Amino acid sequence: MEPPFDSVHETWRSQLGSGPVEVADSRAVALARAAAVDAAGFAALGDALSRQLRYLEATEAYGRSLELEPGNMHVYRRRCGRLLSTLRLNEARHGLLCCLVAGWDELDVRYRLGLCGYMSGVYGRAMEQFELCMPLGSDEMGIAAIYWHTLCALRSGAEPGLLAAYHIGMDVGHHTAYEKAVRVFCGEESLPDALAELGAEPDDLEYGITAYGLSVLLQSRGEAEESRRLAGSVLRRDSFWPGYAFLAAYSDKYGSR
């Protein structure tokens, strides 16, 4: 899948850790910065910074836009996304709840509320959100909700009830990596076979989703060393670090903000 960000972009080290920003302004950022004199201009600057994965600066730009136009829910929702992508989970959750009250797309919001809950370790609350996602979307989002709901259950000892909604032939669209993990969760594929196939996966986003899910499964089975090894490999394959599986692996190891 073509990355939704510029080829020259920031790494997780500056956005999640304490490293310095190393990427200079792209032409798009420079132009947007020069034009950022009103709400629309600051929103455009936030978008341009987001393309460079400069999410911390993008959040500030969106905040400036909202100071000038407080009621713009499109900008508000984009800011929530950047908060989640930098693991400022309490702020992201608060903002997403405001989006829900304001009538924003329910599936979009509940899915990300579930992610906030998962990465915060509040698994019961996260499971409720993923359950509410199921009747709202297609199989493509359904498989993602099943994946995260099952991880919550594996972590908390709860019943992974959404696994019953999975069936061979689901139209999962581009969410094939979620399905690869779910097939193992429900016994359609063996863990050794899935791990062997995973080793040949060239795409870091695809690898990270499947590997992270299998690492949590291994952890639940008491195979702590293999679980840590697999989760560590997700963090090493970091070319698509804004992916939620990478962020979950990072928050497991280092915590959130």
Side-chain angles (χ1 to χ4, degrees), residues 26-36:
S26 66
R27 176 171 172 76
V29 169
L31 290 172
R33 196 184 298 281

Side-chain angles (χ1 to χ4, degrees), residues 127 148 158 167 194 196 242 246 257:
M127 292 176 79
W148 289 107
H167 59 86
F246 181 95
R257 293 172 184 262

Side-chain angles (χ1 to χ4, degrees), residues 121-135:
V122 188
Y123 299 120
R125 189 164 65 192
M127 292 176 79
E128 291 174 2
Q129 295 298 336
F130 293 127
E131 289 162 11
L132 289 168
C133 287
M134 289 300 291

Side-chain angles (χ1 to χ4, degrees), residues 10-250:
E10 271 304 305
T11 71
W12 59 267
R13 291 169 181 82
S14 69
Q15 302 302 294
L16 303 177
S18 57
V21 172
E22 298 180 348
V23 172
D25 286 0
S26 66
R27 176 171 172 76
V29 169
L31 290 172
R33 196 184 298 281
V37 295
D38 57 12
F42 281 110
L45 176 58
D47 293 345
L49 288 163
S50 293
R51 289 286 308 180
Q52 288 196 301
L53 303 188
R54 294 164 68 176
Y55 289 158
L56 297 175
E57 296 164 89
T59 304
E60 294 178 5
Y62 291 139
R64 292 289 303 279
S65 177
L66 289 167
E67 289 173 5
L68 298 168
E69 189 182 359
N72 191 322
M73 290 307 298
H74 292 275
V75 176
Y76 194 86
R77 168 61 185 83
R78 275 178 267 172
R79 185 174 183 275
C80 290
R82 300 291 71 85
L83 290 168
L84 175 54
S85 297
T86 48
L87 295 177
R88 288 173 287 178
L89 300 177
N90 287 333
E91 291 179 81
R93 180 176 179 274
H94 173 77
L96 288 164
L97 287 171
C98 291
C99 289
L100 196 62
V101 170
W104 196 260
D105 179 75
E106 187 177 355
L107 174 60
D108 171 83
V109 174
R110 290 201 181 280
Y111 181 68
R112 285 160 181 82
L113 283 170
L115 291 168
C116 287
Y118 177 82
M119 294 183 207
S120 300
V122 188
Y123 299 120
R125 189 164 65 192
M127 292 176 79
E128 291 174 2
Q129 295 298 336
F130 293 127
E131 289 162 11
L132 289 168
C133 287
M134 289 300 291
L136 299 175
S138 64
D139 284 354
E140 188 168 36
M141 284 305 298
I143 195 68
I146 292 169
Y147 170 97
W148 289 107
H149 184 274
T150 303
L151 297 192
C152 290
L154 291 172
R155 282 275 171 87
S156 65
E159 180 65 28
L162 288 191
L163 272 181
Y166 174 72
H167 59 86
I168 301 297
M170 282 183 73
D171 184 11
V172 300
H174 75 281
H175 281 168
T176 54
Y178 288 116
E179 185 181 23
K180 289 176 183 177
V182 169
R183 283 172 58 84
V184 180
F185 298 159
C186 65
E188 290 290 342
E189 185 174 1
S190 74
L191 180 57
D193 286 349
L195 289 172
E197 181 181 351
L198 182 64
E201 175 57 63
D203 184 274
D204 283 0
L205 177 62
E206 294 285 300
Y207 179 91
I209 292 169
T210 304
Y212 180 74
L214 298 182
S215 77
V216 176
L217 178 63
L218 285 162
Q219 181 188 48
S220 74
R221 293 179 176 181
E223 299 182 48
E225 184 175 348
E226 182 63 13
S227 173
R228 283 194 295 271
R229 184 199 67 78
L230 198 55
S233 73
V234 174
L235 295 178
R236 288 190 296 275
R237 295 187 56 166
D238 60 359
S239 68
F240 210 117
W241 68 262
Y244 293 133
F246 181 95
L247 294 173
Y250 184 96

